[in-house]
Amino acid sequence: MSDVNAPAIACRHVWQVFGEGADKALTAALDRSGQDADAASQHLRATGFIPAVQNATFDVAEGELFVIMGLSGSGKSTLIRCISHLLHATAGEIRIDDENIVEASKQRLIELRRKKLGMVFQHFGLFPHMTVADNVAYPLKVQGIGRKERLAKASEVIDLVGLAGREANYPRELSGGQRQRVGIARSLVADCEVWFLDEPFSALDPLIRRQLQDEFLQIQAKLKTTIVFITHDINEALKLADRIAIMRDGKIVQIGTPAEIVLHPVDDYVREFSKDVAKGRHAHVASVMRGAGGGIEPGPDDPGLRTNMTLDAALAKCMSLYEPVPVWDDAGACVGVVDPADLAAALQVEDA
Amino acid sequence: MTAIPDTSPALPNRLSPGALAALITLLVGAACIALEPAFAWLVKWPAAWTFPATDWVGAVLEAVLGALKPFARMLASLLRYPMDGAHFVLTRTPWPLVIGVTTALGWYLGGLRMALLGALGLGFVLASGYWIESMTTLSLVAVSVPLALMMGGAIGILANEVPRVKSAVQVLLDVMQTVPTFAYLTPLLLLFGFGPVVGLIASAIYAAPPMARNVMLGLERVEPEIKEAAVMAGGTRFQQLFQVEIPSAASQIMVGVNQCLMAALSMVIIAAVIGGFNDIGWEVLLTMRKAQFGAALLAGLVIVVFAIVIDRMSGALAIERKRHDPRIAYGVLAVSVLVTLVFWGRLPDPSGFALLDPTADAVDAGLTAFTVASGAWLDSVKNGAMFYVLLPLRIGLDQAVLPFTWGFMWTPTMSLWLFAAGAAAGLVLIARGSVVGGLLLMIAVGILETGIANLPWPFVLTGTAALCWIAGGRKLALISVLLLLTILLSGLWERALLSLYLSGAAVFACAVLGGAIGLLCAVSPWAWRIVRPICDMLQTIPLFVFLIPVLMFFQIGEFSAFLAICAYAIVPMIRYTRFGLVSTPDDLIEAATASGATSVQIMKDIRIPYATPSLLLGLNQTILYAFSMLVIAALIGTTGLGQSIYLALGQADVGLGVSAGAAMAILAMIADRIVQGFAEERRKALGL
């Protein structure tokens, strides 16, 4: 096993440029601009190349649910394909468990995909000529595992995603939501450690989407895999993410927790995203808490705020108070105070 | 300069590219006509200026083929084993068993309808007395198709796996599609010697491209996410390809299998031309030569039945996913085995059946009676078309109008009057704003007066260059002119013009008639219900069979060839016209209706413009169909390249056969690129 502190995925200066002779063009453009990514991208665009991912650098911790969000054409799908090596990154380094997969051999990549990586696709990518069971068992089949054994394993994951009884159906006989359950089951059958999901719920109806999101969170709670999740839906990102990276025109413009994204957007682009979001539901008390509240004992009218309480919930509890209110951690120790006025202020949508 | 709004509809200050191209073409044509008396070489390319290119090609090819010969002969003798095997199995298998297997297969693939089709179809074949001949043909198909499938599949997969090879393969497939079928046969004859093996190999070569095309297309169209899912599952490239991509592309590949079967059948029958092999194609040819049209028609119908059975059954592979209960198929098989065993030794000889001979004789008698009774009428139809349409198109009004044909003599004065009238009408059009239309009208008048076969070569080159330039840019124009020059220099020019004339006339007739029928079918679903099965039928019939009915009524000659070409080439025009017209998006029609347009206005202003790309594609297919039929029609009397190819086959003259074949391919490809170019432009203009 690798070092506990090493991130599960580490991306360093990852570029994906499309066009004939892109790698040379990128090196030249970077040299020209003195390694300035923005200037290099501009130059590449001007010369007919498409810098779909520019200088992406971030880490994903083990067991973290990392969401990459952006509008269509922002490069998020390209980025996830670089990390899963469906596309060979033009430049940069992508380490999965400290192994640089950009330089991995073909053989090693096949091995990695068999043992470590799983992926779910927006339009499911189910094999039309195979039944549900065969679809799910396919990653085991390519490893040469016998039919009986792989079908047994497949039926376990099919149970997990709630499709028991549909094993013999063909994809065309299933609804959209059921199809994506098959896609999820297939990506899980080989016990992956890193799980890529490319807009898995975008093609589904809102109600089915919410249901699958909840089930997805339950599965994640059970399996605790490292996840890279792509979406264009800010609400989905906020609901699921430990951390969110926001992409625009091939560039990552901000990485942060849902609360950071909502409360401290770095620019108008990010602010625009979170504009219509009910911030009170996504930001927690911890993000507006000041100083340490050492020595404070709970008073008789203490509203009992917690660090992980949403702003909405906190505000409801201390509406009538004017004093700074103490905040308690799960162990019952006071960790700080919150001014109710700050709670209210944080919730206000900026009227720029 | 300031722009002053021009109130009069006079000439625009600058000519559009189209008008410029038309103007240059017109001027070159006019100059050629004016200078013809002084410089005869402007019109007729002097023989002294040609190279004996066909001889060179022949010499080179014969050397190459000679070197390959031992290998080819070995291959031929190897191929004899499977061929003889298939022949033995198919002709010796008791006929109830063959019918039983076909019926069972029909049931499994397509249920009751298909089972009935199989049983009745083969029943018809049995009743006709052509059982053994049919099985011989089938055995050739049975060997050539697996060969073609393997070759085509391998080519398709190779092109998919090695992107660098892909464009080269595409060009190769294009060329193979345009080179006429007979042209294949001559070099093969030299390589493999006379005999059924040549037909076998020719049909395998001819049938491989559709398979390759569909494999390529199918693999290309597999959803990217399905491919990615196979990668992420950890499959090796081999596993991805054979476990995921090829099965996912199955229905497109099955379309390829279907087309491959049909092409092989068609070619096996055409190949009868080169050898007296006891197959059904030979039977048609023989009876046709003996003018036994009843028998020829019967044999032709046997071919049609075969084609339909094979087409519908293999077509079911591509569309229907659900198979029917195999138990019934086994039941049918068991019954046929039982029948065979019970009547073993007492089964009537399949060649002894002559149930339909009386019908054939009746057809013969009826036909004779009909031609005797209405011979005058048929002749007048034929002569009318020849004298007033085909001949003027071919050699021009100045030579076609004679006392014998039109009742008077064409004089130079009349030419002048015609030119004057054309120029006047053209000028009127130009003055009304349609510059290109006016110029084209003047060009058309010129062509009508001169005749396509007598067109001055500078005019043809300029006209082609102009069209290519407008349709596809400078590069296409350059390549086309260079290719045409090779025809000119090789001395095949006159024959090329003759081919151009006949196929041009047929294409024009098909475009007008087929367009009208397509329009009718688009407007009236009722008409389509009648026309559609006819179209299906015409597209299934092997080319060869088209010759029988036209021969029956109009004997050998150019008019019969013209009719046969039209009958075959009209189908795509009908289909594409209808398809283009009915696929206008509903919201466009609703918007037009809401604006208060009548249905005629909707047709004229919305549906036809929207359908233009589709119409042009139909025209393109019609041109290619006409060219491929032109060569077959050489059997019943055409002049030009088709005749040369056919003659070359008889004389085993590889140089002439291949050169003339190449010239046909050049003409077809230039026409194809021009029309495709226009279609592409329209599609872009419509944002499709």
Side-chain angles (χ1 to χ4, degrees):
Chain A
M1 276 265 92
S2 56
D3 182 6
V4 190
N5 294 322
I9 304 173
C11 292
R12 294 287 172 271
H13 309 293
V14 174
W15 286 80
Q16 179 69 52
V17 182
F18 293 115
E20 197 81 24
D23 42 352
K24 275 185 199 146
L26 174 62
T27 319
L30 281 172
D31 286 345
R32 211 178 112 104
S33 65
Q35 307 301 312
D36 178 44
D38 289 346
S41 303
Q42 225 157 41
H43 179 67
L44 283 168
R45 270 205 192 93
T47 46
F49 290 93
I50 304 164
V53 172
Q54 301 152 21
N55 205 28
T57 296
F58 60 89
D59 289 339
V60 182
E62 188 130 6
E64 185 178 17
L65 203 170
F66 189 77
V67 173
I68 301 173
M69 202 201 73
L71 300 178
S72 56
S74 60
K76 54 192 194 307
S77 278
T78 310
L79 179 55
I80 202 176
R81 278 168 175 71
C82 287
I83 309 174
S84 60
H85 207 277
L86 284 168
L87 285 171
H88 184 86
T90 314
E93 203 179 84
I94 299 167
R95 296 188 166 277
I96 294 185
D97 279 344
D98 225 20
E99 175 181 0
N100 187 0
I101 62 150
V102 177
E103 277 158 16
S105 70
K106 242 184 193 165
Q107 204 46 50
R108 177 66 189 145
L109 275 171
I110 288 178
E111 206 175 310
L112 274 173
R113 287 174 178 140
R114 287 182 178 176
K115 306 284 183 211
K116 233 178 202 177
L117 312 179
M119 185 155 175
V120 179
F121 298 90
Q122 181 177 4
H123 300 289
F124 326 132
L126 300 184
F127 309 135
H129 57 289
M130 294 186 195
T131 60
V132 167
D134 286 335
N135 257 292
V136 173
Y138 185 72
L140 302 177
K141 183 181 175 184
V142 294
Q143 300 182 32
I145 293 173
R147 183 167 174 80
K148 211 167 169 188
E149 194 184 332
R150 65 176 192 255
L151 285 184
K153 182 81 216 287
S155 89
E156 270 175 43
V157 265
I158 291 173
D159 278 352
L160 180 72
V161 298
L163 269 184
R166 308 306 299 262
E167 285 88 347
N169 286 103
Y170 282 93
R172 61 176 182 278
E173 298 162 346
L174 303 179
S175 68
Q178 289 173 325
R179 286 182 201 184
Q180 195 55 295
R181 286 164 197 265
V182 179
I184 290 174
R186 183 178 61 189
S187 68
L188 290 176
V189 76
D191 297 321
C192 63
E193 293 166 26
V194 178
W195 199 12
F196 302 105
L197 297 104
D198 180 19
E199 301 208 35
F201 309 136
S202 299
L204 306 175
D205 291 339
L207 279 179
I208 308 283
R209 190 184 309 162
R210 195 179 321 150
Q211 193 185 346
L212 275 177
Q213 284 165 355
D214 293 339
E215 288 177 29
F216 166 73
L217 282 175
Q218 284 165 19
I219 292 174
Q220 160 62 358
K222 210 184 282 179
L223 302 179
K224 300 207 165 45
T225 47
T226 307
I227 294 177
V228 179
F229 189 109
I230 304 283
T231 182
H232 63 244
D233 176 359
I234 181 79
N235 285 309
E236 185 169 80
L238 294 171
K239 177 174 177 180
L240 303 177
D242 290 328
R243 279 191 307 148
I244 300 175
I246 295 190
M247 284 189 81
R248 177 193 189 180
D249 296 338
K251 231 171 84 175
I252 295 182
V253 288
Q254 185 172 7
I255 299 181
T257 61
E260 282 165 1
I261 298 287
V262 172
L263 297 177
H264 310 293
V266 291
D267 62 10
D268 288 346
Y269 179 74
V270 180
R271 189 168 298 125
E272 199 61 29
F273 266 122
S274 49
K275 198 169 154 190
D276 296 328
V277 166
K279 293 181 183 176
R281 274 198 283 143
H282 295 290
H284 299 132
V285 170
S287 60
V288 288
M289 192 173 79
R290 280 178 299 150
I296 300 182
E297 287 296 315
D301 56 352
D302 185 83
L305 298 194
R306 294 275 183 273
T307 42
N308 58 357
M309 214 172 240
T310 64
L311 298 190
D312 278 351
L315 204 58
K317 295 216 171 192
C318 50
M319 258 322 195
S320 53
L321 302 172
Y322 298 95
E323 299 284 292
V325 182
V327 182
W328 314 92
D329 69 6
D330 289 335
C334 177
V335 287
V337 292
V338 157
D339 198 330
D342 285 348
L343 283 178
L347 285 180
Q348 230 144 50
V349 177
E350 293 91 10
D351 302 308
Chain B
M1 261 204 329
T2 48
I4 299 162
D6 202 355
T7 44
S8 69
L11 277 171
N13 292 336
R14 291 193 47 168
L15 287 170
S16 67
L20 186 67
L23 184 64
I24 293 174
T25 312
L26 178 66
L27 290 179
V28 170
C32 286
I33 292 179
L35 295 176
E36 187 192 347
F39 308 98
W41 55 264
L42 267 179
V43 175
K44 282 234 175 314
W45 183 261
W49 295 4
T50 61
F51 298 97
T54 56
D55 295 345
W56 296 349
V57 170
V60 170
L61 274 177
E62 266 171 49
V64 173
L65 296 180
L68 290 174
K69 213 168 182 171
F71 171 72
R73 292 289 156 103
M74 198 179 74
L75 188 68
S77 53
L78 276 179
L79 276 174
R80 281 215 75 97
Y81 293 109
M83 207 171 72
D84 289 346
H87 186 242
F88 182 83
V89 169
L90 278 168
T91 49
R92 296 300 174 84
T93 306
W95 53 264
L97 210 56
V98 177
I99 296 182
V101 169
T102 315
T103 312
L105 192 66
W107 167 265
Y108 180 62
L109 290 175
L112 190 60
R113 276 178 56 142
M114 214 58 89
L116 275 179
L117 179 71
L120 291 180
L122 287 200
F124 174 80
V125 174
L126 185 69
S128 74
Y130 288 122
W131 183 263
I132 294 293
E133 288 83 355
S134 307
M135 288 302 130
T136 306
T137 299
L138 205 58
S139 67
L140 280 174
V141 173
V143 181
S144 78
V145 164
L147 276 179
L149 290 181
M150 280 190 284
M151 282 198 296
I155 293 172
I157 290 173
L158 182 77
N160 186 62
E161 293 304 294
V162 192
R164 252 178 302 167
V165 182
K166 199 168 193 170
S167 54
V169 168
Q170 288 278 17
V171 171
L172 183 75
L173 293 181
D174 278 353
V175 172
M176 284 176 89
Q177 206 195 1
T178 40
V179 171
T181 42
F182 278 164
Y184 285 102
L185 289 175
T186 320
L188 289 178
L189 209 56
L190 223 72
L191 268 179
F192 297 98
F194 276 91
V197 173
V198 174
L200 180 83
I201 289 171
S203 91
I205 294 178
Y206 182 64
M211 181 64 186
R213 257 178 216 286
N214 281 291
V215 169
M216 280 163 74
L217 188 68
L219 289 177
E220 233 172 63
R221 284 196 184 164
V222 174
E223 271 177 50
E225 289 196 347
I226 289 181
K227 294 182 189 172
E228 289 180 341
V231 177
M232 287 311 289
T236 60
R237 182 63 203 141
F238 191 82
Q239 287 172 325
Q240 291 165 28
L241 189 64
F242 285 93
Q243 294 177 350
V244 173
E245 294 182 18
I246 290 179
S248 298
S251 45
Q252 190 70 46
I253 293 175
M254 284 305 160
V255 171
V257 172
N258 171 268
Q259 291 179 2
C260 179
L261 273 163
M262 298 311 285
L265 180 67
S266 180
M267 191 67 188
V268 159
I269 287 162
I270 288 168
V273 171
I274 53 166
F277 189 58
N278 189 22
D279 69 340
I280 193 76
W282 177 246
E283 204 60 40
V284 172
L285 204 66
L286 209 65
T287 45
M288 226 157 63
R289 285 192 184 143
K290 288 193 271 183
Q292 296 171 338
F293 293 119
L297 201 62
L298 190 59
L301 276 178
V302 170
I303 295 177
V304 172
V305 164
F306 256 105
I308 290 179
V309 171
I310 292 178
D311 179 50
R312 300 300 182 266
M313 283 199 187
S314 60
L317 280 176
I319 39 171
E320 214 153 321
R321 292 194 80 111
K322 213 183 93 216
R323 298 288 171 238
H324 293 259
D325 194 344
R327 280 172 301 182
I328 293 189
Y330 291 132
V332 172
L333 273 183
V335 168
S336 65
V337 169
L338 202 66
V339 168
T340 312
L341 288 179
V342 167
F343 293 97
W344 187 263
R346 279 177 293 162
L347 280 174
D349 176 16
S351 305
F353 283 95
L355 299 179
L356 298 173
D357 279 5
T359 326
D361 291 341
V363 168
D364 258 348
L367 187 70
T368 314
F370 177 76
T371 39
V372 166
S374 34
W377 178 76
L378 285 176
D379 276 350
S380 70
V381 168
K382 182 168 147 183
N383 289 339
M386 280 307 292
F387 293 159
Y388 297 111
V389 184
L390 290 181
L391 221 50
L393 268 178
R394 177 173 170 176
I395 49 178
L397 285 170
D398 59 343
Q399 289 177 43
V401 178
L402 296 168
F404 166 64
T405 55
W406 289 50
F408 61 90
M409 191 70 201
W410 191 262
T411 59
T413 331
M414 291 181 186
S415 292
L416 285 181
W417 274 112
L418 182 71
F419 286 143
L427 283 175
V428 168
L429 272 179
I430 292 172
R432 294 181 61 181
S434 172
V435 182
V436 181
L439 291 171
L440 285 182
L441 181 74
M442 293 189 210
I443 293 176
V445 168
I447 292 178
L448 194 63
E449 214 274 340
T450 323
I452 294 176
N454 294 334
L455 285 178
W457 58 268
F459 169 77
V460 177
L461 289 186
T462 322
T464 310
L467 273 175
C468 290
W469 181 59
I470 299 296
R474 198 168 302 169
K475 196 172 147 202
L476 180 65
L478 195 68
I479 292 175
S480 300
V481 168
L482 280 178
L483 287 174
L484 284 184
L485 273 176
T486 61
I487 300 183
L488 201 56
L489 288 173
S490 64
L492 292 168
W493 184 253
E494 280 175 49
R495 280 171 265 185
L497 281 187
L498 282 173
S499 295
L500 202 61
Y501 133 75
L502 193 57
S503 49
V507 166
F508 183 74
C510 288
V512 173
L513 198 62
I517 297 176
L519 181 72
L520 180 70
C521 292
V523 183
S524 139
W526 183 80
W528 180 231
R529 220 168 295 149
I530 296 172
V531 172
R532 186 180 175 176
I534 299 177
C535 281
D536 286 349
M537 177 96 159
L538 287 177
Q539 265 187 329
T540 322
I541 298 177
L543 298 181
F544 208 44
V545 181
F546 281 88
L547 305 180
I548 304 170
V550 292
L551 267 187
M552 281 165 54
F553 293 106
F554 297 105
Q555 290 85 40
I556 280 180
E558 211 163 70
F559 183 62
S560 299
F562 172 77
L563 282 184
I565 297 172
C566 286
Y568 180 61
I570 198 170
V571 178
M573 198 65 214
I574 298 177
R575 278 190 194 282
Y576 280 83
T577 306
R578 181 194 158 270
F579 176 77
L581 291 175
V582 295
S583 51
T584 325
D586 285 340
D587 50 346
L588 287 189
I589 294 178
E590 280 167 7
T593 315
S595 313
T598 64
S599 52
V600 175
Q601 283 170 327
I602 292 177
M603 181 57 80
K604 187 165 72 69
D605 300 335
I606 312 288
R607 291 170 70 170
I608 290 181
Y610 194 85
T612 323
S614 177
L615 290 177
L616 285 170
L617 281 184
L619 184 66
N620 184 44
Q621 288 296 305
T622 294
I623 292 173
L624 293 180
Y625 272 47
F627 270 110
S628 57
M629 190 66 188
L630 188 64
V631 184
I632 310 293
L635 278 173
I636 57 168
T638 58
T639 44
L641 292 173
Q643 188 193 32
S644 299
I645 294 171
Y646 184 53
L647 287 180
L649 188 58
Q651 299 154 357
D653 181 348
V654 197
L656 180 61
V658 170
S659 310
M664 285 286 280
I666 288 173
L667 292 184
M669 271 171 116
I670 292 176
D672 174 68
R673 293 296 133 89
I674 291 176
V675 180
Q676 291 264 24
F678 281 119
E680 190 54 38
E681 190 189 323
R682 282 314 304 158
R683 220 172 311 154
K684 271 199 195 124
L686 289 171
L688 294 176

